Amino acid sequence: MQLKTLTLLGLASAVNAQTLADVLAENAATLSSLTSFLQSEEVIYELFANAQDVTLLAPSNEALARLNATPLANELLSDPNYLTAFLAYHVLNGTFYASNLTSSPTQFLPTILDLAAYSNVTGGQRLQVQAADGGVSFLSGNGELSTVESANFNYTGGTIHIIDNYLTIPASLPAALLEQNLTALVGAVTQAGVAETLTNARDITLFAPNNAAFDAIGNLVSELTVEQLTGILGYHVIVGQTVYSSQIEDGATATTFQGGDITLRVEDGSVFVNSARVVKADVLCANGVIHVIDGVLNPSNTDAEPNPAESTQAPAFSGASSTGGVPFTSGITVPTSAPAEPTATSGPDSGNGDDTPVEAGAAAQGAALGMAALFGAAVLLAQL
């Protein structure tokens, strides 16, 4: 879908210095729900109107109607801090016009979300931008897809792009792993007692073995001490650097939390970490990014290399074999909305790739009333 941009309007905006109120009034047919809220809540309006050098990703009437019909609306209403974080995640830190968003196939842009309880990423939680065929989409938490319907509604503080779906804040590390059905890794992290350490670490990159990867070394699991398991898990984590797929270069190395180095390779269109293939890239979490891989990395076999011609790589552990069951999963449950586990045959995937239209589910007028109540909670917080 071609992105609709308003080049002439953008030029007029620069000349006439349109305010946020001007732009909203001109687009009442699409943003009346958002406009109704801003007109009734002075504190929130001031926050939006006075912000400088930002890009507001404005959910359309239909998007807000969809939000109002979900349990998330009640969660936002009951937790003003969560609502504040939710709003912040819809604002990019910087002015990004349509030409900026389409300048690269994949980008990871910073938002102004930097509340410690919801984001532990330096410079603000990231939002993935995908550009294709002249259109722009955003991937937020759990691969939630939002597409730009119209772009470049410029005002004195920056620019506004209208999107067809609200953005979802990336979940905490354990929750994000469960959203991807990575129950074995969650169980292993829990058994090793490192869940809190990894969750609280700032700016992490986690190469997360899928369940099949743990199954492939199932016969060795019972022999591992807690210290050995901790070392293996630490070899999957880079702390202090979020490495997104767009930054990965063939032959690059990185030092892990465990202390050993891993090697990143790009071969035949696939990305490998040592010998493990990345089967799903760029799963955003509260404190960084997760890349799902099809093998468990071995810190005692750092020279392991892949065979790109094979859809499944041999385990990096000598003598490893499956026992017919996935280890570490006892007592671990996943959300009902968790996706099917990615496999090597699906190829590297960034986000959910689902562009199926979703029905609105409620009238725009109802959405305006519901959102006014939600934003009203943020006003109470701001007045404290």
Side-chain angles (χ1 to χ4, degrees):
M1 181 185 74
Q2 286 289 326
L3 181 64
K4 291 185 289 185
T5 60
L6 303 183
T7 306
L8 294 179
L9 176 59
L11 179 60
S13 298
V15 175
N16 300 326
Q18 286 188 305
T19 66
L20 177 61
D22 294 331
V23 175
L24 292 175
E26 291 178 355
N27 294 276
T30 308
L31 298 176
S32 60
S33 297
L34 183 61
T35 302
S36 295
F37 159 70
L38 290 175
Q39 290 176 342
S40 63
E41 303 293 352
E42 181 178 354
V43 173
I44 297 298
Y45 172 77
E46 290 299 322
L47 290 175
F48 277 85
N50 293 329
Q52 294 296 309
D53 191 22
V54 297
T55 301
L56 173 60
L57 305 177
S60 66
N61 292 339
E62 290 77 10
L64 296 187
R66 193 177 304 117
L67 171 62
N68 196 47
T70 67
L72 177 60
N74 290 330
E75 295 177 25
L76 294 171
L77 180 60
S78 63
D79 187 344
N81 290 325
Y82 189 20
L83 176 56
T84 300
F86 177 80
L87 296 174
Y89 195 50
H90 285 75
V91 182
L92 297 177
N93 191 357
T95 304
F96 297 94
Y97 302 107
S99 58
N100 303 123
L101 299 179
T102 57
S103 62
S104 177
T106 302
Q107 300 180 70
F108 296 85
L109 298 181
T111 69
I112 66 170
L113 173 56
D114 199 21
L115 296 174
Y118 303 96
S119 173
N120 199 9
V121 177
T122 299
Q125 181 57 267
R126 296 313 195 263
L127 184 63
Q128 184 176 355
V129 185
Q130 292 186 328
D133 300 324
V136 175
S137 295
F138 298 100
L139 288 172
S140 54
N142 200 21
E144 192 72 30
L145 181 69
S146 304
T147 300
V148 175
E149 294 182 335
S150 300
N152 290 354
F153 296 92
N154 303 328
Y155 72 108
T156 52
T159 192
I160 299 172
H161 306 310
I162 300 174
I163 57 177
D164 67 354
N165 193 17
Y166 57 88
L167 306 175
T168 301
I169 296 175
S172 67
L173 179 62
L177 293 176
L178 289 177
E179 288 173 348
Q180 299 303 313
N181 198 32
L182 301 177
T183 51
L185 180 55
V186 173
V189 166
T190 302
Q191 183 169 315
V194 297
E196 184 175 358
T197 298
L198 294 180
T199 301
N200 293 336
R202 188 171 183 85
D203 298 330
I204 75 164
T205 302
L206 172 61
F207 297 101
N210 58 18
N211 285 0
F214 277 101
D215 177 40
I217 63 167
N219 66 315
L220 304 179
V221 166
S222 61
E223 303 174 3
L224 295 175
T225 66
V226 170
E227 182 179 4
Q228 289 173 326
L229 180 59
T230 300
I232 291 172
L233 294 174
Y235 189 57
H236 291 73
V237 184
I238 302 171
V239 176
Q241 183 181 9
T242 51
V243 181
Y244 302 98
S245 62
S246 59
Q247 300 170 295
I248 293 178
E249 297 181 355
D250 183 36
T253 61
T255 302
T256 66
F257 187 58
Q258 178 265 351
D261 287 348
I262 56 174
T263 301
L264 303 174
R265 297 178 174 88
V266 182
E267 299 187 28
D268 296 339
S270 293
V271 175
F272 296 89
V273 187
N274 290 354
S275 61
R277 187 192 305 265
V278 175
V279 293
K280 185 169 186 178
D282 301 318
V283 177
L284 301 177
C285 63
N287 60 330
V289 64
I290 301 165
H291 304 296
V292 184
I293 57 178
D294 67 356
V296 178
L297 306 179
N298 185 352
S300 298
N301 186 12
T302 59
D303 295 328
E305 295 185 6
N307 181 353
E310 298 292 333
S311 61
T312 302
Q313 302 299 307
F317 293 80
S318 177
S321 63
S322 170
T323 58
V326 182
F328 301 118
T329 56
S330 178
I332 305 296
T333 58
V334 298
T336 56
S337 60
E341 182 177 320
T343 63
T345 55
S346 65
D349 175 34
S350 187
N352 63 3
D354 181 8
D355 59 358
T356 304
V358 181
E359 295 300 322
Q365 182 177 4
L369 295 175
M371 289 305 296
L374 292 175
F375 282 92
V379 173
L380 293 177
L381 177 66
Q383 291 175 333
L384 292 178

